[in-house]
């Protein structure tokens, strides 16, 4: 069984790494940000998301646990964007314990604030296939058009400068404590998020080989 968490501040490269991990380990990638964006017109959720604040714990916890009970998570899963608060992490442990499961690895991508700001302000995403580009470092072949499916790329509302600052501050105040939480459980692997994604995956893969039965 491989139950993993991909952790890190916004813009650390979680989405890119998640694709590599889920493909190589053949496990389901569950991004709470993507799940919530599917409900972006929900009048209760939208204000949290567009301002960079976290949606209430009880809402996200119920959504994630419902999803984890489905058959396609039986062989393992990769959570991306969850947990993000201490309560979410404690509830996740409780939920997994009840289902005779546990968190097997937490891969923590670390990058500095100035890199986060650079990455997020230049990010353009494809609303159709999830492709991700960067106008500075990885532009699409044709301006504003997805290389993979031809859809028009969007600049996420929460990738605007004021919201980026709020998201970094939310991470510092509410999410960063989870590094210690998982370190104490001996499941944490810290990674330099500026390394090449394939190098990062190689380190994750070695960690899994050596630590996950
Ligand atoms: P992300 O794409 O992971 O950066 O998530 C986008 C937005 O969705 C966040 O800024 C939050 O508003 C919301 N969100 C995603 N995951 C969570 C979570 N675990 N807890 C609370 N809010 C979340």
């Amino acid at each position: 069984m491989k139950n993993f968490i991909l952790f890190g501040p916004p813009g650390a490269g979680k989405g890119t790494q998640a694709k590599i991990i889920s493909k190589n380990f053949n496990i389901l990638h569950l991004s709470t940000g993507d799940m919530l964006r599917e409900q972006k017109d929900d009048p209760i959720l939208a204000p949290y998301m567009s301002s960079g604040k976290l949606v209430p714990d009880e809402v996200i916890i119920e959504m994630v646990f419902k999803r984890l009970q489905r058959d396609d998570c039986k062989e393992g899963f990769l959570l991306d964007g969850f947990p993000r608060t201490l309560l979410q992490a404690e509830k996740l442990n409780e939920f997994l314990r009840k289902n005779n499961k546990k968190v097997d690895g937490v891969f923590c991508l670390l990058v500095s604030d100035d890199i986060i700001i650079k990455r997020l302000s230049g990010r353009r995403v494809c609303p159709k296939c999830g492709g991700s580009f960067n106008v500075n470092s990885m532009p699409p072949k044709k301006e504003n058009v997805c290389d993979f499916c031809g859809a028009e790329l969007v600049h996420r509302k929460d990738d605007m400068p004021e919201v980026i600052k709020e998201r970094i501050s939310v991470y510092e105040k509410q999410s960063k404590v989870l590094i210690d939480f998982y370190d104490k459980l001996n499941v944490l692997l810290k990674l330099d998020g500026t390394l090449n994604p394939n190098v990062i995956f190689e380190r994750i893969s070695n960690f899994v080989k050596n630590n996950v039965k």
Side-chain angles (χ1 to χ4, degrees), residues 8-11 14 31-37 45-57 59-61 63-64 80-85 88 120 123 156 158-159 163 166-167 170 174-175:
K14 298 193 292 295
S31 153
T32 45
D34 286 348
M35 287 163 87
L36 288 167
R37 274 184 289 280
L45 300 176
Y48 291 104
M49 299 186 66
S50 56
S51 65
K53 298 209 164 33
L54 296 182
V55 307
D57 278 335
V59 173
I60 193 84
I61 287 171
M63 188 180 91
V64 172
D80 159 11
F82 183 95
R84 249 165 152 121
T85 65
Q88 291 178 17
L120 293 185
R123 178 160 76 174
R156 271 169 52 178
D158 59 347
D159 283 346
V163 189
E166 176 65 17
R167 290 166 74 197
V170 164
Q174 294 180 268
S175 308

mmCIF file of all heavy atoms in Angstrom, residues 8-11 14 31-37 45-57 59-61 63-64 80-85 88 120 123 156 158-159 163 166-167 170 174-175, ligand 1:
data_model
loop_
_atom_site.group_PDB
_atom_site.id
_atom_site.type_symbol
_atom_site.label_atom_id
_atom_site.label_comp_id
_atom_site.label_asym_id
_atom_site.label_seq_id
_atom_site.Cartn_x
_atom_site.Cartn_y
_atom_site.Cartn_z
ATOM 1 N N GLY A 8 3.862 21.309 0.722
ATOM 2 C CA GLY A 8 4.745 22.436 0.416
ATOM 3 C C GLY A 8 3.941 23.683 0.166
ATOM 4 O O GLY A 8 2.726 23.620 -0.023
ATOM 5 N N PRO A 9 4.596 24.837 0.151
ATOM 6 C CA PRO A 9 3.878 26.086 -0.091
ATOM 7 C C PRO A 9 3.328 26.131 -1.510
ATOM 8 O O PRO A 9 3.743 25.343 -2.363
ATOM 9 C CB PRO A 9 4.971 27.147 0.109
ATOM 10 C CG PRO A 9 6.244 26.441 -0.146
ATOM 11 C CD PRO A 9 6.046 25.031 0.294
ATOM 12 N N PRO A 10 2.417 27.074 -1.758
ATOM 13 C CA PRO A 10 1.916 27.210 -3.134
ATOM 14 C C PRO A 10 3.102 27.521 -4.054
ATOM 15 O O PRO A 10 4.020 28.247 -3.660
ATOM 16 C CB PRO A 10 0.964 28.424 -3.049
ATOM 17 C CG PRO A 10 1.339 29.146 -1.796
ATOM 18 C CD PRO A 10 1.875 28.109 -0.864
ATOM 19 N N GLY A 11 3.086 26.919 -5.244
ATOM 20 C CA GLY A 11 4.161 27.213 -6.195
ATOM 21 C C GLY A 11 5.422 26.400 -5.973
ATOM 22 O O GLY A 11 6.434 26.640 -6.613
ATOM 23 N N LYS A 14 4.197 21.166 -6.630
ATOM 24 C CA LYS A 14 3.454 19.962 -6.240
ATOM 25 C C LYS A 14 2.711 19.334 -7.418
ATOM 26 O O LYS A 14 2.713 18.121 -7.575
ATOM 27 C CB LYS A 14 2.452 20.296 -5.112
ATOM 28 C CG LYS A 14 3.115 20.795 -3.830
ATOM 29 C CD LYS A 14 2.143 20.816 -2.663
ATOM 30 C CE LYS A 14 1.052 21.846 -2.778
ATOM 31 N NZ LYS A 14 1.525 23.256 -2.746
ATOM 32 N N SER A 31 -5.962 16.112 -5.846
ATOM 33 C CA SER A 31 -5.610 17.496 -5.528
ATOM 34 C C SER A 31 -6.859 18.191 -4.996
ATOM 35 O O SER A 31 -7.868 18.318 -5.713
ATOM 36 C CB SER A 31 -5.102 18.191 -6.796
ATOM 37 O OG SER A 31 -5.340 19.577 -6.728
ATOM 38 N N THR A 32 -6.789 18.638 -3.745
ATOM 39 C CA THR A 32 -7.983 19.295 -3.175
ATOM 40 C C THR A 32 -8.238 20.628 -3.887
ATOM 41 O O THR A 32 -9.388 21.029 -4.046
ATOM 42 C CB THR A 32 -7.833 19.515 -1.658
ATOM 43 O OG1 THR A 32 -6.535 20.031 -1.376
ATOM 44 C CG2 THR A 32 -8.075 18.242 -0.899
ATOM 45 N N GLY A 33 -7.164 21.316 -4.327
ATOM 46 C CA GLY A 33 -7.352 22.565 -5.069
ATOM 47 C C GLY A 33 -8.149 22.298 -6.352
ATOM 48 O O GLY A 33 -9.098 23.014 -6.669
ATOM 49 N N ASP A 34 -7.787 21.217 -7.078
ATOM 50 C CA ASP A 34 -8.515 20.875 -8.314
ATOM 51 C C ASP A 34 -9.964 20.493 -7.996
ATOM 52 O O ASP A 34 -10.892 20.886 -8.702
ATOM 53 C CB ASP A 34 -7.842 19.696 -9.045
ATOM 54 C CG ASP A 34 -6.546 20.127 -9.729
ATOM 55 O OD1 ASP A 34 -6.298 21.340 -9.822
ATOM 56 O OD2 ASP A 34 -5.782 19.228 -10.155
ATOM 57 N N MET A 35 -10.137 19.695 -6.927
ATOM 58 C CA MET A 35 -11.506 19.276 -6.563
ATOM 59 C C MET A 35 -12.365 20.507 -6.253
ATOM 60 O O MET A 35 -13.521 20.593 -6.650
ATOM 61 C CB MET A 35 -11.473 18.346 -5.341
ATOM 62 C CG MET A 35 -10.935 16.952 -5.662
ATOM 63 S SD MET A 35 -10.440 16.063 -4.163
ATOM 64 C CE MET A 35 -11.973 15.313 -3.685
ATOM 65 N N LEU A 36 -11.764 21.462 -5.539
ATOM 66 C CA LEU A 36 -12.527 22.668 -5.176
ATOM 67 C C LEU A 36 -12.771 23.552 -6.391
ATOM 68 O O LEU A 36 -13.832 24.166 -6.515
ATOM 69 C CB LEU A 36 -11.781 23.456 -4.100
ATOM 70 C CG LEU A 36 -11.790 22.824 -2.705
ATOM 71 C CD1 LEU A 36 -10.777 23.511 -1.808
ATOM 72 C CD2 LEU A 36 -13.178 22.911 -2.078
ATOM 73 N N ARG A 37 -11.786 23.610 -7.293
ATOM 74 C CA ARG A 37 -11.972 24.462 -8.481
ATOM 75 C C ARG A 37 -13.112 23.945 -9.361
ATOM 76 O O ARG A 37 -13.752 24.703 -10.067
ATOM 77 C CB ARG A 37 -10.671 24.590 -9.285
ATOM 78 C CG ARG A 37 -9.781 25.729 -8.765
ATOM 79 C CD ARG A 37 -8.547 25.936 -9.604
ATOM 80 N NE ARG A 37 -7.578 24.865 -9.444
ATOM 81 C CZ ARG A 37 -6.731 24.776 -8.415
ATOM 82 N NH1 ARG A 37 -6.716 25.695 -7.482
ATOM 83 N NH2 ARG A 37 -5.893 23.758 -8.319
ATOM 84 N N LEU A 45 -17.904 28.462 -1.197
ATOM 85 C CA LEU A 45 -16.470 28.178 -1.350
ATOM 86 C C LEU A 45 -15.704 29.279 -2.088
ATOM 87 O O LEU A 45 -14.556 29.581 -1.741
ATOM 88 C CB LEU A 45 -16.277 26.859 -2.100
ATOM 89 C CG LEU A 45 -16.882 25.614 -1.447
ATOM 90 C CD1 LEU A 45 -16.697 24.405 -2.345
ATOM 91 C CD2 LEU A 45 -16.218 25.371 -0.089
ATOM 92 N N ALA A 46 -16.337 29.883 -3.088
ATOM 93 C CA ALA A 46 -15.635 30.819 -3.982
ATOM 94 C C ALA A 46 -14.882 31.942 -3.249
ATOM 95 O O ALA A 46 -13.713 32.196 -3.568
ATOM 96 C CB ALA A 46 -16.615 31.395 -5.006
ATOM 97 N N PRO A 47 -15.495 32.608 -2.271
ATOM 98 C CA PRO A 47 -14.776 33.712 -1.614
ATOM 99 C C PRO A 47 -13.483 33.269 -0.918
ATOM 100 O O PRO A 47 -12.501 34.021 -0.922
ATOM 101 C CB PRO A 47 -15.777 34.233 -0.579
ATOM 102 C CG PRO A 47 -17.106 33.727 -1.026
ATOM 103 C CD PRO A 47 -16.858 32.459 -1.756
ATOM 104 N N TYR A 48 -13.465 32.089 -0.363
ATOM 105 C CA TYR A 48 -12.234 31.603 0.283
ATOM 106 C C TYR A 48 -11.162 31.427 -0.776
ATOM 107 O O TYR A 48 -10.037 31.889 -0.636
ATOM 108 C CB TYR A 48 -12.459 30.235 0.954
ATOM 109 C CG TYR A 48 -13.364 30.284 2.154
ATOM 110 C CD1 TYR A 48 -14.671 29.842 2.071
ATOM 111 C CD2 TYR A 48 -12.894 30.750 3.377
ATOM 112 C CE1 TYR A 48 -15.507 29.879 3.178
ATOM 113 C CE2 TYR A 48 -13.709 30.791 4.484
ATOM 114 C CZ TYR A 48 -15.028 30.348 4.387
ATOM 115 O OH TYR A 48 -15.838 30.397 5.468
ATOM 116 N N MET A 49 -11.538 30.743 -1.849
ATOM 117 C CA MET A 49 -10.539 30.398 -2.858
ATOM 118 C C MET A 49 -9.986 31.623 -3.571
ATOM 119 O O MET A 49 -8.786 31.736 -3.782
ATOM 120 C CB MET A 49 -11.142 29.421 -3.854
ATOM 121 C CG MET A 49 -11.557 28.141 -3.154
ATOM 122 S SD MET A 49 -12.088 26.931 -4.304
ATOM 123 C CE MET A 49 -10.568 26.603 -5.162
ATOM 124 N N SER A 50 -10.864 32.557 -3.921
ATOM 125 C CA SER A 50 -10.357 33.703 -4.694
ATOM 126 C C SER A 50 -9.535 34.649 -3.820
ATOM 127 O O SER A 50 -8.746 35.436 -4.325
ATOM 128 C CB SER A 50 -11.499 34.437 -5.388
ATOM 129 O OG SER A 50 -12.429 34.823 -4.423
ATOM 130 N N SER A 51 -9.688 34.548 -2.490
ATOM 131 C CA SER A 51 -8.906 35.437 -1.624
ATOM 132 C C SER A 51 -7.645 34.752 -1.089
ATOM 133 O O SER A 51 -6.851 35.373 -0.393
ATOM 134 C CB SER A 51 -9.765 35.902 -0.453
ATOM 135 O OG SER A 51 -10.096 34.789 0.354
ATOM 136 N N GLY A 52 -7.510 33.453 -1.376
ATOM 137 C CA GLY A 52 -6.308 32.733 -0.928
ATOM 138 C C GLY A 52 -6.420 32.178 0.482
ATOM 139 O O GLY A 52 -5.457 31.663 1.032
ATOM 140 N N LYS A 53 -7.628 32.290 1.070
ATOM 141 C CA LYS A 53 -7.814 31.742 2.423
ATOM 142 C C LYS A 53 -8.212 30.272 2.327
ATOM 143 O O LYS A 53 -8.680 29.808 1.284
ATOM 144 C CB LYS A 53 -8.916 32.521 3.136
ATOM 145 C CG LYS A 53 -8.576 33.984 3.323
ATOM 146 C CD LYS A 53 -9.268 34.522 4.558
ATOM 147 C CE LYS A 53 -8.723 35.829 5.048
ATOM 148 N NZ LYS A 53 -8.220 36.774 4.086
ATOM 149 N N LEU A 54 -8.037 29.549 3.428
ATOM 150 C CA LEU A 54 -8.412 28.132 3.416
ATOM 151 C C LEU A 54 -9.918 27.996 3.596
ATOM 152 O O LEU A 54 -10.519 28.723 4.389
ATOM 153 C CB LEU A 54 -7.710 27.386 4.555
ATOM 154 C CG LEU A 54 -6.185 27.330 4.494
ATOM 155 C CD1 LEU A 54 -5.642 26.519 5.652
ATOM 156 C CD2 LEU A 54 -5.704 26.756 3.166
ATOM 157 N N VAL A 55 -10.519 27.052 2.883
ATOM 158 C CA VAL A 55 -11.939 26.771 3.127
ATOM 159 C C VAL A 55 -12.023 26.089 4.503
ATOM 160 O O VAL A 55 -11.044 25.515 4.982
ATOM 161 C CB VAL A 55 -12.577 25.898 2.012
ATOM 162 C CG1 VAL A 55 -12.337 26.485 0.637
ATOM 163 C CG2 VAL A 55 -12.051 24.482 2.054
ATOM 164 N N PRO A 56 -13.186 26.153 5.163
ATOM 165 C CA PRO A 56 -13.267 25.607 6.524
ATOM 166 C C PRO A 56 -12.888 24.125 6.595
ATOM 167 O O PRO A 56 -13.215 23.349 5.693
ATOM 168 C CB PRO A 56 -14.742 25.816 6.892
ATOM 169 C CG PRO A 56 -15.202 26.934 6.013
ATOM 170 C CD PRO A 56 -14.440 26.783 4.734
ATOM 171 N N ASP A 57 -12.216 23.785 7.685
ATOM 172 C CA ASP A 57 -11.758 22.410 7.879
ATOM 173 C C ASP A 57 -12.868 21.374 7.661
ATOM 174 O O ASP A 57 -12.672 20.377 6.972
ATOM 175 C CB ASP A 57 -11.205 22.243 9.308
ATOM 176 C CG ASP A 57 -9.768 22.728 9.437
ATOM 177 O OD1 ASP A 57 -9.048 22.739 8.417
ATOM 178 O OD2 ASP A 57 -9.378 23.099 10.553
ATOM 179 N N VAL A 59 -15.502 21.369 5.925
ATOM 180 C CA VAL A 59 -15.931 21.209 4.528
ATOM 181 C C VAL A 59 -14.933 20.332 3.773
ATOM 182 O O VAL A 59 -15.288 19.352 3.111
ATOM 183 C CB VAL A 59 -16.015 22.594 3.823
ATOM 184 C CG1 VAL A 59 -16.298 22.445 2.345
ATOM 185 C CG2 VAL A 59 -17.043 23.480 4.502
ATOM 186 N N ILE A 60 -13.641 20.669 3.918
ATOM 187 C CA ILE A 60 -12.611 19.966 3.138
ATOM 188 C C ILE A 60 -12.425 18.539 3.670
ATOM 189 O O ILE A 60 -12.228 17.590 2.906
ATOM 190 C CB ILE A 60 -11.287 20.768 3.125
ATOM 191 C CG1 ILE A 60 -10.333 20.220 2.072
ATOM 192 C CG2 ILE A 60 -10.600 20.803 4.447
ATOM 193 C CD1 ILE A 60 -10.593 20.763 0.734
ATOM 194 N N ILE A 61 -12.520 18.383 4.975
ATOM 195 C CA ILE A 61 -12.332 17.054 5.572
ATOM 196 C C ILE A 61 -13.420 16.105 5.066
ATOM 197 O O ILE A 61 -13.137 14.981 4.636
ATOM 198 C CB ILE A 61 -12.334 17.153 7.118
ATOM 199 C CG1 ILE A 61 -11.018 17.795 7.590
ATOM 200 C CG2 ILE A 61 -12.521 15.784 7.770
ATOM 201 C CD1 ILE A 61 -10.976 18.158 9.070
ATOM 202 N N MET A 63 -15.147 16.347 2.334
ATOM 203 C CA MET A 63 -14.959 16.117 0.900
ATOM 204 C C MET A 63 -13.852 15.082 0.643
ATOM 205 O O MET A 63 -14.025 14.146 -0.147
ATOM 206 C CB MET A 63 -14.583 17.456 0.254
ATOM 207 C CG MET A 63 -14.532 17.442 -1.242
ATOM 208 S SD MET A 63 -14.064 19.083 -1.869
ATOM 209 C CE MET A 63 -12.310 18.889 -1.954
ATOM 210 N N VAL A 64 -12.742 15.210 1.360
ATOM 211 C CA VAL A 64 -11.604 14.309 1.132
ATOM 212 C C VAL A 64 -11.928 12.890 1.618
ATOM 213 O O VAL A 64 -11.667 11.907 0.913
ATOM 214 C CB VAL A 64 -10.333 14.854 1.827
ATOM 215 C CG1 VAL A 64 -9.203 13.849 1.783
ATOM 216 C CG2 VAL A 64 -9.886 16.151 1.161
ATOM 217 N N ASP A 80 -2.553 15.865 -2.587
ATOM 218 C CA ASP A 80 -1.818 17.079 -2.982
ATOM 219 C C ASP A 80 -2.672 18.269 -2.535
ATOM 220 O O ASP A 80 -3.787 18.456 -3.016
ATOM 221 C CB ASP A 80 -1.630 17.004 -4.505
ATOM 222 C CG ASP A 80 -1.351 18.339 -5.171
ATOM 223 O OD1 ASP A 80 -1.093 19.322 -4.481
ATOM 224 O OD2 ASP A 80 -1.388 18.371 -6.421
ATOM 225 N N GLY A 81 -2.177 19.012 -1.535
ATOM 226 C CA GLY A 81 -2.943 20.158 -1.027
ATOM 227 C C GLY A 81 -3.749 19.831 0.221
ATOM 228 O O GLY A 81 -4.463 20.674 0.740
ATOM 229 N N PHE A 82 -3.641 18.622 0.702
ATOM 230 C CA PHE A 82 -4.320 18.187 1.926
ATOM 231 C C PHE A 82 -3.409 17.191 2.637
ATOM 232 O O PHE A 82 -2.860 16.323 1.977
ATOM 233 C CB PHE A 82 -5.642 17.505 1.579
ATOM 234 C CG PHE A 82 -6.444 17.099 2.801
ATOM 235 C CD1 PHE A 82 -7.435 17.924 3.318
ATOM 236 C CD2 PHE A 82 -6.201 15.877 3.442
ATOM 237 C CE1 PHE A 82 -8.161 17.552 4.445
ATOM 238 C CE2 PHE A 82 -6.916 15.502 4.571
ATOM 239 C CZ PHE A 82 -7.899 16.340 5.067
ATOM 240 N N PRO A 83 -3.262 17.271 3.958
ATOM 241 C CA PRO A 83 -3.814 18.264 4.873
ATOM 242 C C PRO A 83 -3.060 19.581 4.812
ATOM 243 O O PRO A 83 -1.908 19.643 4.374
ATOM 244 C CB PRO A 83 -3.637 17.602 6.230
ATOM 245 C CG PRO A 83 -2.444 16.726 6.075
ATOM 246 C CD PRO A 83 -2.468 16.247 4.661
ATOM 247 N N ARG A 84 -3.726 20.644 5.296
ATOM 248 C CA ARG A 84 -3.135 21.981 5.307
ATOM 249 C C ARG A 84 -3.248 22.636 6.671
ATOM 250 O O ARG A 84 -2.787 23.751 6.848
ATOM 251 C CB ARG A 84 -3.872 22.851 4.305
ATOM 252 C CG ARG A 84 -3.053 23.226 3.076
ATOM 253 C CD ARG A 84 -4.029 23.753 2.070
ATOM 254 N NE ARG A 84 -3.550 24.689 1.141
ATOM 255 C CZ ARG A 84 -3.586 24.486 -0.179
ATOM 256 N NH1 ARG A 84 -3.967 23.347 -0.676
ATOM 257 N NH2 ARG A 84 -3.219 25.445 -0.980
ATOM 258 N N THR A 85 -3.909 21.972 7.610
ATOM 259 C CA THR A 85 -3.961 22.466 8.996
ATOM 260 C C THR A 85 -3.706 21.266 9.905
ATOM 261 O O THR A 85 -3.865 20.104 9.485
ATOM 262 C CB THR A 85 -5.349 23.049 9.359
ATOM 263 O OG1 THR A 85 -6.316 21.991 9.326
ATOM 264 C CG2 THR A 85 -5.777 24.169 8.428
ATOM 265 N N GLN A 88 -6.730 19.049 10.166
ATOM 266 C CA GLN A 88 -6.895 18.168 8.998
ATOM 267 C C GLN A 88 -5.947 16.968 9.097
ATOM 268 O O GLN A 88 -6.334 15.836 8.800
ATOM 269 C CB GLN A 88 -6.600 18.938 7.704
ATOM 270 C CG GLN A 88 -7.634 20.003 7.367
ATOM 271 C CD GLN A 88 -7.288 20.785 6.104
ATOM 272 O OE1 GLN A 88 -6.466 20.374 5.284
ATOM 273 N NE2 GLN A 88 -7.930 21.940 5.931
ATOM 274 N N LEU A 120 4.405 31.724 -9.389
ATOM 275 C CA LEU A 120 2.942 31.833 -9.437
ATOM 276 C C LEU A 120 2.465 32.995 -10.295
ATOM 277 O O LEU A 120 1.463 32.869 -10.998
ATOM 278 C CB LEU A 120 2.350 31.970 -8.031
ATOM 279 C CG LEU A 120 2.499 30.740 -7.132
ATOM 280 C CD1 LEU A 120 1.763 30.961 -5.826
ATOM 281 C CD2 LEU A 120 1.974 29.482 -7.803
ATOM 282 N N ARG A 123 2.527 31.886 -13.819
ATOM 283 C CA ARG A 123 1.860 30.612 -14.147
ATOM 284 C C ARG A 123 0.597 30.829 -14.982
ATOM 285 O O ARG A 123 -0.184 31.724 -14.723
ATOM 286 C CB ARG A 123 1.489 29.891 -12.843
ATOM 287 C CG ARG A 123 0.756 28.573 -13.067
ATOM 288 C CD ARG A 123 0.836 27.693 -11.886
ATOM 289 N NE ARG A 123 -0.042 28.098 -10.796
ATOM 290 C CZ ARG A 123 -0.211 27.389 -9.684
ATOM 291 N NH1 ARG A 123 0.431 26.255 -9.530
ATOM 292 N NH2 ARG A 123 -1.016 27.810 -8.731
ATOM 293 N N ARG A 156 -4.881 32.054 -13.074
ATOM 294 C CA ARG A 156 -5.777 31.840 -11.935
ATOM 295 C C ARG A 156 -5.906 33.113 -11.099
ATOM 296 O O ARG A 156 -4.912 33.794 -10.856
ATOM 297 C CB ARG A 156 -5.231 30.713 -11.056
ATOM 298 C CG ARG A 156 -5.731 29.337 -11.464
ATOM 299 C CD ARG A 156 -4.983 28.229 -10.778
ATOM 300 N NE ARG A 156 -4.898 28.346 -9.332
ATOM 301 C CZ ARG A 156 -4.318 27.441 -8.550
ATOM 302 N NH1 ARG A 156 -3.797 26.353 -9.083
ATOM 303 N NH2 ARG A 156 -4.270 27.595 -7.249
ATOM 304 N N ASP A 158 -6.236 33.380 -8.039
ATOM 305 C CA ASP A 158 -5.414 33.346 -6.829
ATOM 306 C C ASP A 158 -3.912 33.359 -7.147
ATOM 307 O O ASP A 158 -3.086 33.253 -6.256
ATOM 308 C CB ASP A 158 -5.798 32.174 -5.904
ATOM 309 C CG ASP A 158 -5.663 30.819 -6.549
ATOM 310 O OD1 ASP A 158 -5.501 30.749 -7.790
ATOM 311 O OD2 ASP A 158 -5.717 29.810 -5.827
ATOM 312 N N ASP A 159 -3.568 33.480 -8.423
ATOM 313 C CA ASP A 159 -2.163 33.680 -8.798
ATOM 314 C C ASP A 159 -1.864 35.152 -9.068
ATOM 315 O O ASP A 159 -0.836 35.491 -9.675
ATOM 316 C CB ASP A 159 -1.806 32.839 -10.042
ATOM 317 C CG ASP A 159 -1.600 31.366 -9.694
ATOM 318 O OD1 ASP A 159 -1.463 31.051 -8.505
ATOM 319 O OD2 ASP A 159 -1.573 30.540 -10.625
ATOM 320 N N VAL A 163 -3.068 38.165 -3.901
ATOM 321 C CA VAL A 163 -3.552 36.878 -3.376
ATOM 322 C C VAL A 163 -2.379 35.931 -3.100
ATOM 323 O O VAL A 163 -2.401 35.160 -2.144
ATOM 324 C CB VAL A 163 -4.600 36.238 -4.323
ATOM 325 C CG1 VAL A 163 -5.247 35.037 -3.671
ATOM 326 C CG2 VAL A 163 -5.662 37.252 -4.720
ATOM 327 N N GLU A 166 -1.139 36.562 0.304
ATOM 328 C CA GLU A 166 -2.042 35.996 1.316
ATOM 329 C C GLU A 166 -1.837 34.475 1.415
ATOM 330 O O GLU A 166 -1.803 33.905 2.503
ATOM 331 C CB GLU A 166 -3.503 36.328 0.933
ATOM 332 C CG GLU A 166 -4.566 35.715 1.835
ATOM 333 C CD GLU A 166 -4.529 36.232 3.266
ATOM 334 O OE1 GLU A 166 -3.916 37.292 3.511
ATOM 335 O OE2 GLU A 166 -5.111 35.550 4.150
ATOM 336 N N ARG A 167 -1.672 33.826 0.278
ATOM 337 C CA ARG A 167 -1.498 32.367 0.294
ATOM 338 C C ARG A 167 -0.201 31.981 1.001
ATOM 339 O O ARG A 167 -0.148 30.989 1.723
ATOM 340 C CB ARG A 167 -1.508 31.809 -1.140
ATOM 341 C CG ARG A 167 -2.896 31.900 -1.761
ATOM 342 C CD ARG A 167 -2.836 31.681 -3.257
ATOM 343 N NE ARG A 167 -2.606 30.301 -3.616
ATOM 344 C CZ ARG A 167 -2.191 29.910 -4.817
ATOM 345 N NH1 ARG A 167 -1.931 30.791 -5.752
ATOM 346 N NH2 ARG A 167 -2.023 28.629 -5.067
ATOM 347 N N VAL A 170 -0.848 32.437 4.702
ATOM 348 C CA VAL A 170 -1.689 31.339 5.210
ATOM 349 C C VAL A 170 -0.836 30.079 5.401
ATOM 350 O O VAL A 170 -0.941 29.379 6.410
ATOM 351 C CB VAL A 170 -2.871 31.071 4.236
ATOM 352 C CG1 VAL A 170 -3.521 29.726 4.504
ATOM 353 C CG2 VAL A 170 -3.897 32.184 4.327
ATOM 354 N N GLN A 174 -0.678 28.577 9.018
ATOM 355 C CA GLN A 174 -1.530 27.426 9.289
ATOM 356 C C GLN A 174 -0.976 26.072 8.847
ATOM 357 O O GLN A 174 -1.333 25.057 9.416
ATOM 358 C CB GLN A 174 -2.906 27.645 8.624
ATOM 359 C CG GLN A 174 -3.660 28.808 9.250
ATOM 360 C CD GLN A 174 -5.016 29.012 8.581
ATOM 361 O OE1 GLN A 174 -5.144 29.773 7.638
ATOM 362 N NE2 GLN A 174 -6.015 28.294 9.060
ATOM 363 N N SER A 175 -0.144 26.092 7.816
ATOM 364 C CA SER A 175 0.250 24.800 7.244
ATOM 365 C C SER A 175 1.660 24.335 7.633
ATOM 366 O O SER A 175 1.903 23.134 7.782
ATOM 367 C CB SER A 175 0.168 24.863 5.712
ATOM 368 O OG SER A 175 -1.083 25.339 5.300
HETATM 369 P P1 LIG B 1 -4.254 24.854 -4.313
HETATM 370 O O1 LIG B 1 -4.528 24.666 -5.755
HETATM 371 O O2 LIG B 1 -3.850 23.595 -3.623
HETATM 372 O O3 LIG B 1 -3.301 25.988 -4.035
HETATM 373 O O4 LIG B 1 -5.645 25.254 -3.632
HETATM 374 C C1 LIG B 1 -6.386 26.376 -4.062
HETATM 375 C C2 LIG B 1 -7.291 26.878 -2.949
HETATM 376 O O5 LIG B 1 -8.215 25.848 -2.570
HETATM 377 C C3 LIG B 1 -6.582 27.249 -1.638
HETATM 378 O O6 LIG B 1 -6.049 28.552 -1.663
HETATM 379 C C4 LIG B 1 -7.738 27.113 -0.644
HETATM 380 O O7 LIG B 1 -8.644 28.185 -0.726
HETATM 381 C C5 LIG B 1 -8.457 25.872 -1.167
HETATM 382 N N1 LIG B 1 -7.918 24.612 -0.570
HETATM 383 C C6 LIG B 1 -7.265 23.607 -1.204
HETATM 384 N N2 LIG B 1 -6.923 22.631 -0.352
HETATM 385 C C7 LIG B 1 -7.371 23.012 0.865
HETATM 386 C C8 LIG B 1 -7.311 22.444 2.171
HETATM 387 N N3 LIG B 1 -6.705 21.264 2.406
HETATM 388 N N4 LIG B 1 -7.883 23.130 3.192
HETATM 389 C C9 LIG B 1 -8.501 24.299 2.982
HETATM 390 N N5 LIG B 1 -8.578 24.910 1.785
HETATM 391 C C10 LIG B 1 -8.026 24.278 0.720
#
